Amino acid sequence: MAIIIGIESSCDDTSAAIIKDGVLLSNIIANQSVHEFYGGVIPELASREHQQNIIPVVSMAINSAKIDKSQISAVAFTRGPGLMGSLLVGVSFAKGFAQSLNIPMIEINHLQGHILAHFIAEKDKNISHPKFPFLCLLVSGGHTQLIVVKDYMDFEIIGQTIDDAAGEAFDKCAKVMGLPYPGGPVIDKLASEGNARAFEFARPIVGGLNYSFSGLKTSFLYFLRDRIAENPNFIEENKVDLCASLQHTIIQILLKNLIKAAKQTGINEIAVSGGVSANSGLRNAIADEGKRCGWNVYLPQLKFTTDNAAMIAITGYFKYLKNQTCGYDVVPITRMI
Ligand code: KG4
Ligand code: ZN
């Protein structure tokens, strides 16, 4: 029997989860609303919030899993990528916790966690998992990548953004419209009432399977600037159409290379992961494309799309089975591929 505790603190969510033999027992997440006021994550505030949240979050995860901490086999924690001050809280906590119980630590790459979130099993739920090799579109606030997943531990990045991530495009454009942070979910909601073909924004020209979102953000900004010069109420009067058109553009950009990658690799097992995979428009578009192209599409449950420790614990479980533990002297890394 293996009981793994997962600890996630890479950005602005403090989370702890317990997984027993691959089955999720608890997954507690404390969000940080403090950043809303600033329109983006303030690293110093994020680490202070993690400090306050980490112990209650871990206690809740253990209690709601109905286990005793002495039963835990190993501590899996996010080593990176992420914000240094945020990572340090989780990593330092994991070190103290593991040493006090005299159990091993397992370092986790946050991005691998997002991908393996597809393998989280839950009691009385029958969810089908992607079969190896599968193609994963990983779209979050920090990353946009196309990855061939050959096995739990074997990944090949075949395309990625050369500048902003898709989530950043959502968040930055939302900020320009005066919408709260994080902008992705807000745009998603407003877009459902708007016309996706109302406005046209720049689509990037990038080689191969790579992505670029900085041009879209600039095109959106200049477009609004020109329209506001004619009509100061332009944003307010066109908010839902702006959101729908922007979301449509981001989805089309993401889909284009996904389709290309599926053709190039010949893989028809298609998964999507990361915070932006919560987007209803993207989920529908990939499901529709899947029907058209004969793909088997895997969309994560919404609770496993944005940052959570269940994905860290499941990755830890697979690494634990392979004895892939690390020393107590491990340090966080802000950049990892
Ligand atoms: O995976 P995540 O929680 O954190 C990172 O690892 O970056 O992703 C956060 C990102 C944010 O940019 C947020 O705006 C975006 O995911 N996001 C969404 C939606 N929900 C979260 N973007 C579009 N539509 C959504 N429904
Ligand atoms: Zn993430």
Side-chain angles (χ1 to χ4, degrees), residues 10 23 52 63 70 95 138 142 151 153 163 192 222 258 290 295 303 330:
S10 63
V23 179
Q52 282 185 1
N63 291 341
S70 62
K95 281 184 189 182
L138 171 54
D151 190 16
M153 305 297 149
D163 42 54
S192 64
Y222 288 168
L258 179 62
W295 296 343
K303 62 184 173 185
V330 63

Side-chain angles (χ1 to χ4, degrees), residues 13 110 114 140-142 167-168 170-171 182-185 188 274-276 278-280 305-307:
D13 296 305
H110 179 84
H114 272 303
S140 72
E168 246 175 313
F170 272 107
D171 296 341
D188 189 355
V276 180
N279 185 269
S280 56
T305 55
T306 46
D307 291 348

Side-chain angles (χ1 to χ4, degrees), residues 9-310:
S9 75
S10 63
C11 189
D12 59 342
D13 296 305
T14 319
S15 182
I18 306 283
I19 281 204
K20 182 181 174 188
D21 294 332
V23 179
L24 186 66
L25 299 184
S26 66
N27 182 36
I28 306 295
I29 305 170
N31 306 117
Q32 302 182 356
S33 54
V34 63
H35 308 289
E36 279 167 24
F37 177 76
Y38 299 95
V41 177
I42 308 292
E44 173 65 18
L45 295 181
S47 53
R48 290 186 201 189
E49 291 274 309
H50 283 305
Q51 282 282 13
Q52 282 185 1
N53 293 340
I54 188 91
I55 290 178
V57 163
V58 168
S59 301
M60 276 173 77
I62 292 171
N63 291 341
S64 65
K66 297 192 173 56
I67 59 156
D68 186 82
K69 65 177 186 301
S70 62
Q71 294 174 273
I72 297 173
S73 321
V75 183
F77 63 96
T78 302
R79 185 179 182 196
L83 302 168
M84 181 50 88
S86 292
L87 290 166
L88 268 170
V89 178
V91 175
S92 307
F93 178 87
K95 281 184 189 182
F97 193 69
Q99 289 195 61
S100 71
L101 294 171
N102 199 22
I103 54 175
M105 295 176 74
I106 303 170
E107 61 166 281
I108 305 295
N109 177 330
H110 179 84
L111 304 176
Q112 187 181 3
H114 272 303
I115 297 166
L116 297 187
H118 281 281
F119 296 92
I120 300 167
E122 287 181 279
K123 198 168 168 269
D124 302 329
K125 270 197 192 164
N126 202 357
I127 290 169
S128 62
H129 311 303
K131 285 156 212 74
F132 300 116
F134 65 90
L135 191 58
C136 185
L137 172 66
L138 171 54
V139 268
S140 72
H143 290 82
T144 299
Q145 296 180 330
L146 279 166
I147 304 158
V148 177
V149 185
K150 299 172 187 170
D151 190 16
Y152 297 113
M153 305 297 149
D154 191 0
F155 302 84
E156 187 190 346
I157 299 169
I158 57 170
Q160 57 188 321
T161 182
I162 56 167
D163 42 54
D164 289 352
E168 246 175 313
F170 272 107
D171 296 341
K172 287 181 177 172
C173 292
K175 194 172 178 179
V176 173
M177 286 188 280
L179 298 174
Y181 178 86
V186 185
I187 291 183
D188 189 355
K189 199 154 172 257
L190 292 169
S192 64
E193 294 159 34
N195 173 7
R197 318 229 170 231
F199 305 110
E200 279 282 333
F201 303 113
R203 309 247 174 124
I205 301 163
V206 216
L209 294 171
N210 286 338
Y211 288 109
S212 165
F213 286 99
S214 66
L216 171 64
K217 178 194 65 194
T218 312
S219 139
F220 189 70
L221 184 72
Y222 288 168
F223 171 84
L224 287 183
R225 189 193 57 187
D226 294 348
R227 296 299 175 102
I228 290 168
E230 295 160 8
N231 170 10
N233 289 328
F234 181 77
I235 294 180
E236 212 40 59
E237 288 168 13
N238 296 279
K239 200 170 265 176
V240 290
D241 288 347
L242 283 167
C243 289
S245 301
L246 177 72
Q247 178 171 297
H248 177 72
T249 309
I250 295 175
I251 292 170
Q252 291 310 307
I253 295 171
L254 290 173
L255 267 183
K256 191 174 167 208
N257 282 7
L258 179 62
I259 295 167
K260 213 169 159 191
K263 280 199 186 125
Q264 269 180 29
T265 58
I267 296 174
N268 68 352
E269 291 281 301
I270 309 290
V272 51
S273 291
V276 180
S277 69
N279 185 269
S280 56
L282 180 63
R283 293 171 82 91
N284 291 337
I286 293 184
D288 288 348
E289 203 57 44
K291 281 187 202 127
R292 207 176 60 81
C293 302
W295 296 343
N296 296 322
V297 171
Y298 301 89
L299 303 168
Q301 291 187 66
L302 285 179
K303 62 184 173 185
F304 301 138
T305 55
T306 46
D307 291 348
N308 65 86

